[in-house]
Amino acid sequence: MRIAIVADVHANFSAFRAVLGHAVEQGPVDAVWCLGDTVGYGPQPNECVELLREFDHVAVAGNHDLAACGKMGVEEFNNAAAAAARWTATQLTPRSRTYLEELPFVVQEGDFTLVHGSLRDPEWEYLLSTTQAAAQFALQETRYSIVGHSHLAFVCREDAAAPPTLERAQDGDCVQLDEQRLILNPGGAGQPRDGDPRAGYALYDDEDRSVTFARVEYDIEETQLAMRKAALPRWLIERLSDGL
Ligand code: ZN
């Protein structure tokens, strides 16, 4: 099985098409694992939900998914995120809204646990430090877990004799899965935040037990044009050019 792992698509349909296209170019994609925030910020929420649904997939809820479908208020969002969430709520089809409302917070899939933020705070914690990683490992019932939310690709390894290590993952990095417990983040597909504007994702191959990180060029201007038409906040449009 080859499984595309995506997080934080954020209604960026051009980016989502690009990462799935990149995965399919290399061979059949049997499933998609989605770490949440499929909508919010970007201009094409329904298209992204429908594209995800074309695949055999497992998805968890992100904070933006919950805000868009009305299950969470926007009080804790910054102004631009709140404006985008309110706009998204007006755009969702009943079918997309129902889909988002029904997303679970945490899913176990074989050796993996999927959660948007972290196991101790599924919707809000940005898991970025080794201290936070240690807290995640303490709650993690499976050998591996995958998170999103920070929009930064990384590999975190548990070490029985020392604190966990956390290393940012680059395009082409390949992790061989073995006994060591891991936390992975595939990076942001629809709004990368590491200074590289290319869409990020990862590909899990369960036969050779590997996860490969990739960055993919996509038509940023197509997304920005659609955002301008929707009158989404300028900062959200401009940040896509910088990958920040
Ligand atoms: Zn996000």
Side-chain angles (χ1 to χ4, degrees), residues 8 10 37 41 63-64 116 149 151 193:
D8 299 287
H10 281 297
D37 280 2
Y41 292 138
N63 51 317
H64 286 262
H116 180 63
H149 195 46
H151 303 203
R193 290 182 187 166

Side-chain angles (χ1 to χ4, degrees), residues 86-104:
R86 285 192 286 267
W87 178 83
T88 304
T90 68
Q91 301 298 308
L92 289 181
T93 61
R95 179 176 146 91
S96 296
R97 183 171 293 108
T98 302
Y99 174 82
L100 296 172
E101 280 168 358
E102 291 175 352
L103 288 173

Side-chain angles (χ1 to χ4, degrees), residues 18 24 38 43 45-46 65 99 109 115 123 127 154 165 171-172 179 181 183 185 195 203 211 234 240 243:
V24 167
T38 302
N46 296 305
D65 301 321
Y99 174 82
E109 189 73 9
V115 63
E123 299 309 309
L127 200 165
F154 67 72
T165 60
D171 183 24
E179 302 286 296
R181 300 206 320 146
I183 306 165
N185 187 323
L203 194 62
V211 175
R234 209 167 100 188
L240 295 179

Side-chain angles (χ1 to χ4, degrees), residues 2 20 23 27 36 43 46 58 78 91 114 154 173 211 220 240:
R2 295 171 73 255
L20 292 177
N46 296 305
V58 176
N78 66 46
Q91 301 298 308
L114 277 54
F154 67 72
D173 283 359
V211 175
I220 295 175
L240 295 179

Side-chain angles (χ1 to χ4, degrees), residues 41 74-86 233 235-236:
Y41 292 138
V74 295
E75 303 77 28
E76 305 210 23
F77 283 52
N78 66 46
N79 288 343
R86 285 192 286 267
W235 173 57
L236 297 179

Side-chain angles (χ1 to χ4, degrees), residues 38-39 44-53 96 99-100:
T38 302
V39 306
Q44 290 174 286
N46 296 305
E47 290 85 343
C48 290
V49 169
E50 290 305 323
L51 179 54
L52 179 59
R53 295 180 75 165
S96 296
Y99 174 82
L100 296 172

Side-chain angles (χ1 to χ4, degrees), residues 31-228:
V32 175
W33 289 351
C34 175
L35 279 302
D37 280 2
T38 302
V39 306
Y41 292 138
Q44 290 174 286
N46 296 305
E47 290 85 343
C48 290
V49 169
E50 290 305 323
L51 179 54
L52 179 59
R53 295 180 75 165
E54 283 177 23
F55 289 81
D56 188 1
H57 75 278
V58 176
V60 292
N63 51 317
H64 286 262
D65 301 321
L66 297 178
C69 71
K71 279 180 87 173
M72 179 191 278
V74 295
E75 303 77 28
E76 305 210 23
F77 283 52
N78 66 46
N79 288 343
R86 285 192 286 267
W87 178 83
T88 304
T90 68
Q91 301 298 308
L92 289 181
T93 61
R95 179 176 146 91
S96 296
R97 183 171 293 108
T98 302
Y99 174 82
L100 296 172
E101 280 168 358
E102 291 175 352
L103 288 173
F105 284 16
V106 182
V107 172
Q108 284 188 11
E109 189 73 9
D111 284 341
F112 293 81
T113 301
L114 277 54
V115 63
H116 180 63
S118 74
L119 287 169
R120 64 179 177 180
D121 190 350
E123 299 309 309
W124 286 110
E125 184 173 18
Y126 291 91
L127 200 165
L128 286 168
S129 74
T130 54
T131 310
Q132 292 172 305
Q136 172 91 350
F137 281 126
L139 296 170
Q140 189 172 309
E141 294 170 359
T142 55
R143 191 171 296 164
Y144 316 114
S145 68
I146 315 177
V147 300
H149 195 46
S150 68
H151 303 203
L152 298 169
F154 67 72
V155 181
C156 180
R157 298 168 198 276
E158 189 178 47
D159 186 331
T165 60
L166 195 152
E167 278 176 55
R168 297 276 282 274
Q170 313 294 331
D171 183 24
D173 283 359
C174 181
V175 179
Q176 207 61 49
L177 301 179
D178 52 29
E179 302 286 296
Q180 189 173 38
R181 300 206 320 146
L182 303 174
I183 306 165
L184 305 171
N185 187 323
Q191 195 199 74
R193 290 182 187 166
D194 60 357
D196 179 347
R198 295 178 298 170
Y201 83 107
L203 194 62
Y204 167 46
D205 187 322
D206 78 343
E207 271 167 41
D208 64 16
R209 305 284 295 156
S210 67
V211 175
T212 306
F213 292 82
R215 300 302 284 268
V216 184
E217 305 259 5
Y218 75 96
D219 191 341
I220 295 175
E221 286 178 11
E222 177 188 314
T223 299
Q224 290 173 320
L225 188 64
M227 290 174 83
R228 271 187 214 104

